[in-house]
Amino acid sequence: MEIKEIVKEKYGQAALRVTTGGSSCCGASATVDGCGVDPITSHHYDANQTGQIPEEAVVASLGCGNPTALAQLNPGEVVLDLGSGGGIDVLLSAKRVGPTGKAYGLDMTDEMLALARENQRKSGLLNVEFLKGEIENIPLPDNSVDVIISNCVINLSGDKDRVLQEAFRVLKPGGRFAVSDVVVRGTVPDEVKRSMLLWVGCIAGALQDEQYVSKLAKSGFDQIDIEPTRVYNIEDARTFLSAEGIDVDSIAAQVDGRFMSAFIHATKPAAACCAPGCCS
Ligand SMILES: C[S@@+](CC[C@H](N)C(=O)[O-])C[C@H]1O[C@@H](n2cnc3c(N)ncnc32)[C@H](O)[C@@H]1O
């Protein structure tokens, strides 16, 4: 409960900063370089994508990837964004699935929901709905979603097993899980991991790549894959870690190449054929 309250407070403040004309960033760059070019959250979207949606949705972007660019989204499909923030990926998905499809955003932070709904109003998109709730208890029925996307949110949850089980529950048979998240490659000492994850985001609890795969498999997913999209090295984090009093050179060898943003994808198996004609 405590983690959730801290996350809510941090992201509520980030949303308010955007509303008052500032930048949304709330990780290391907010304290160290005043939200300049954040190596985690910047440059994920090209001009073709950002030109399609309100500027405030782009400014509010706090993800560590671009799941809508990597996910397959087809006209008429239902998409759900876990931890939708200011709504950037929901609005981009809504454009891709078109008026016969629907894009849901789910977030627990009131200020983020208000910002996202305002961005939806400015976009004029009607096939969008922002829901208030927690990704550990998704307020949608079983087998109702074609594609789950998410951008740098699952690492924030204190109960990742529950999030993946809920994602599996709401996906239709054959549905796709297509998520950007921070992942740790291999084993890293806890102390080093804590420092790096403090740098990566407001509050991050990234999984090791093998843990992610095994948790997805345990929840029932198959065709699981993790593709690195941005690998971080110690120089990206040097200023922040030094300011925290950490001897950067002594941990460099344990950090380089181990922390990355990745595109994680998996599939809910299609329903088994249970009666004559049921698969036709
Ligand atoms: C790092 S921001 C990412 C926002 C958005 N996906 C983007 O790319 O800009 C994390 C968002 O997830 C939301 N969030 C974090 N944990 C959550 C949870 N357990 N349930 C629902 N929303 C959550 C926060 O309120 C915040 O808006």
Side-chain angles (χ1 to χ4, degrees):
M1 212 47 223
E2 201 195 320
I3 297 179
K4 268 201 187 121
E5 290 313 312
I6 299 170
V7 168
K8 249 186 221 171
E9 194 190 328
K10 291 280 180 192
Y11 286 103
Q13 289 165 358
L16 290 177
R17 276 199 295 278
V18 174
T19 316
T20 53
S23 156
S24 62
C25 73
C26 60
S29 52
T31 49
V32 174
D33 55 25
C35 299
V37 179
D38 184 330
I40 314 284
T41 60
S42 54
H43 305 312
H44 290 296
Y45 300 88
D46 64 27
N48 178 37
Q49 288 187 302
T50 56
Q52 297 180 39
I53 52 176
E55 198 193 331
E56 292 80 353
V58 179
V59 174
S61 166
L62 278 167
C64 52
N66 183 347
T68 59
L70 299 167
Q72 185 197 334
L73 301 178
N74 303 314
E77 287 189 321
V78 177
V79 180
L80 167 65
D81 183 11
L82 301 180
S84 42
I88 183 166
D89 295 318
V90 179
L91 301 182
L92 289 170
S93 299
K95 296 238 170 207
R96 295 264 298 281
V97 298
T100 58
K102 176 141 189 180
Y104 289 102
L106 172 64
D107 207 288
M108 66 179 181
T109 306
D110 288 322
E111 295 87 342
M112 277 295 182
L113 284 165
L115 179 61
R117 287 178 179 137
E118 179 59 13
N119 287 334
Q120 177 193 357
R121 192 191 61 74
K122 287 179 187 148
S123 75
L125 285 163
L126 300 176
N127 59 337
V128 167
E129 190 176 340
F130 288 100
L131 306 169
K132 179 168 178 175
E134 298 179 352
I135 62 174
E136 296 82 0
N137 290 295
I138 299 175
L140 285 174
D142 298 358
N143 306 321
S144 58
V145 171
D146 293 291
V147 185
I148 287 198
I149 59 166
S150 183
N151 200 347
C152 232
V153 179
I154 295 175
N155 72 82
L156 300 170
S157 174
D159 192 349
K160 295 168 178 64
D161 287 313
R162 172 85 192 178
V163 174
L164 300 181
Q165 284 155 17
E166 277 291 273
F168 189 85
R169 178 184 68 76
V170 300
L171 275 175
K172 297 175 186 173
R176 282 105 64 203
F177 178 89
V179 160
S180 293
D181 209 355
V182 176
V183 175
V184 182
R185 191 154 42 190
T187 314
V188 176
D190 276 354
E191 187 75 9
V192 174
K193 193 171 163 189
R194 259 196 304 278
S195 307
M196 279 302 280
L197 295 180
L198 189 64
W199 170 71
V200 163
C202 293
I203 321 263
L207 287 176
Q208 218 181 306
D209 47 2
E210 285 170 7
Q211 288 175 320
Y212 224 128
V213 171
S214 92
K215 283 179 188 296
L216 280 164
K218 208 173 99 198
S219 304
F221 286 98
D222 64 13
Q223 299 178 55
I224 302 165
D225 196 22
I226 299 187
E227 293 171 34
T229 50
R230 194 174 277 186
V231 179
Y232 304 105
N233 68 43
I234 195 72
E235 292 314 319
D236 295 320
R238 182 176 287 279
T239 315
F240 173 77
L241 295 180
S242 301
E244 293 288 303
I246 292 160
D247 178 357
V248 173
D249 293 315
S250 71
I251 65 166
Q254 292 157 312
V255 167
D256 273 339
R258 296 292 187 87
F259 293 82
M260 60 186 184
S261 294
F263 179 57
I264 298 131
H265 49 111
T267 305
K268 177 170 173 172
C273 195
C274 49
C278 75
C279 294
S280 54

